[in-house]
Amino acid sequence: MTTLTQQLRELSTTIAVAGAEHALSQRRLGFGVDTKSSMTDLVTDVDRSTEAMIVSRILTARPDDGLLGEEGGERAGTTGVRWVIDPIDGTTNFVYDHPGWAVSIGVEVDGVVVAGAVACPSLSMTYSAAAGEGATCNGAALQLPDTAPPLAHALVGTGFSYDSHTRRRQAQRLVTVLPNVRDIRRVGAAAVDLCSVAAGRLDAYFEEGLGPWDLAAGGLIAAEAGAHTSSLDGGPIADGSVLVCHPGLAAELVELLARAAREIDDSPS
Ligand code: IPD
Ligand code: CA
């Protein structure tokens, strides 16, 4: 008999894949682009139509659940289950036709993420996870190796906010981090970065200011693959501050990020 968690994993995967196919086909037809929180924060017609399609599929299958979508979908449910949706994570990549974008769907039960899926159609990869049941990419189990690389050999992903003041602080943080690691990657989709840690394509990823939709599915996928997950300061994830890495790198990265924070000049530019 399948458990609720397994059912939610299967349903989130099916709907994320359908959402990704919808977004890809709409992309080929052409789309309008708008801005949201700042001139750098893009949203397209396809973000909105993909969210609408995902919401309709969820409510057809589970009409009494709650949901939260990046493009405005919000609904209180009565079942304790809430779907947290980013219809396109990596909208800038989507607009410019860079492959690093994904549909991300996490599912909470009583406020805790227990299942989720991230579908990356341009990379032909679909990740999923369920709490206590592991993570997969295209059906193959993901598990971090026993041994972490030394920090100096770690490939570290990060991302940037759409707020220019926050970006200035994020750039300054890299002044301290970059000389101490193998290199930095800025792929442009937090959900893809989190899955990349799970798959060993990144040794670590950190960012501040993420939305719950950026994090819900990918955070569970990384944790189920054996990754450390915390905020930048090593405490529980809060306010979108996130550090996900091989557990063997966590202490040194928390220390490096704390040093980076002390060295930030936060005076107005
Ligand atoms: C953004 C991407 C980006 C990250 C930003 C997110 P969006 O999501 O995940 O990589 O750096 O913090 O807001 O706007 O493309 O859905
Ligand atoms: Ca988005």
Side-chain angles (χ1 to χ4, degrees):
M1 207 184 74
T2 55
T3 63
L4 173 65
T5 302
Q6 287 165 340
Q7 288 167 24
L8 295 173
R9 179 187 197 166
E10 275 168 34
L11 191 56
S12 62
T13 306
T14 303
I15 296 176
V17 169
E21 280 163 5
H22 167 89
L24 202 54
S25 64
Q26 292 300 301
R27 189 178 194 291
R28 294 191 190 108
L29 299 176
F31 53 88
V33 184
D34 223 332
T35 56
K36 292 196 292 186
S37 62
S38 76
M39 290 301 287
T40 53
D41 185 0
L42 304 181
V43 61
T44 71
D45 302 339
V46 186
D47 293 70
R48 297 190 180 109
S49 71
T50 304
E51 181 165 309
M53 181 239 158
I54 290 169
V55 167
S56 142
R57 290 281 297 256
I58 292 169
L59 295 181
T60 300
R62 298 186 51 93
D64 300 322
D65 288 355
L67 56 88
L68 175 70
E70 181 178 10
E71 306 313 336
E74 190 159 10
R75 179 178 197 273
T78 55
T79 59
V81 175
R82 186 174 79 145
W83 297 71
V84 185
I85 307 152
D86 193 339
I88 299 182
D89 185 37
T91 300
T92 307
N93 284 344
F94 180 85
V95 169
Y96 281 81
D97 203 16
H98 285 284
W101 59 271
V103 173
S104 171
I105 304 179
V107 199
E108 298 171 345
V109 174
D110 298 333
V112 177
V113 182
V114 299
V118 173
C120 320
S122 310
L123 301 169
S124 303
M125 289 177 189
T126 300
Y127 296 86
S128 80
E133 304 204 355
T136 57
C137 177
N138 295 347
L142 299 174
Q143 182 61 52
L144 296 194
D146 291 343
T147 314
L151 184 60
H153 294 182
L155 187 61
V156 179
T158 193
F160 305 126
S161 153
Y162 296 118
D163 169 70
S164 61
H165 182 75
T166 308
R167 281 186 164 188
R168 186 170 183 274
R169 199 169 63 236
Q170 290 171 321
Q172 289 187 6
R173 186 180 285 128
L174 289 181
V175 171
T176 305
V177 173
L178 180 55
N180 289 288
V181 299
R182 186 188 294 282
D183 208 341
I184 292 287
R185 290 289 178 272
R186 195 292 193 249
V187 167
V192 176
D193 289 323
L194 291 160
C195 292
S196 293
V197 174
R201 246 174 256 111
L202 289 174
D203 298 306
Y205 161 73
F206 69 88
E207 186 165 346
E208 61 177 331
L210 290 181
W213 38 79
D214 297 314
L215 191 54
L220 178 67
I221 289 163
E224 285 294 322
H228 159 97
T229 62
S230 71
S231 62
L232 263 59
D233 66 6
I237 292 176
D239 299 328
S241 164
V242 142
L243 167 64
V244 170
C245 61
H246 191 290
L249 288 168
E252 278 181 291
L253 272 168
V254 167
E255 197 183 310
L256 181 62
L257 290 166
R259 177 147 65 85
R262 287 194 298 276
E263 289 170 6
I264 287 173
D265 168 10
D266 223 1
S267 53
S269 49

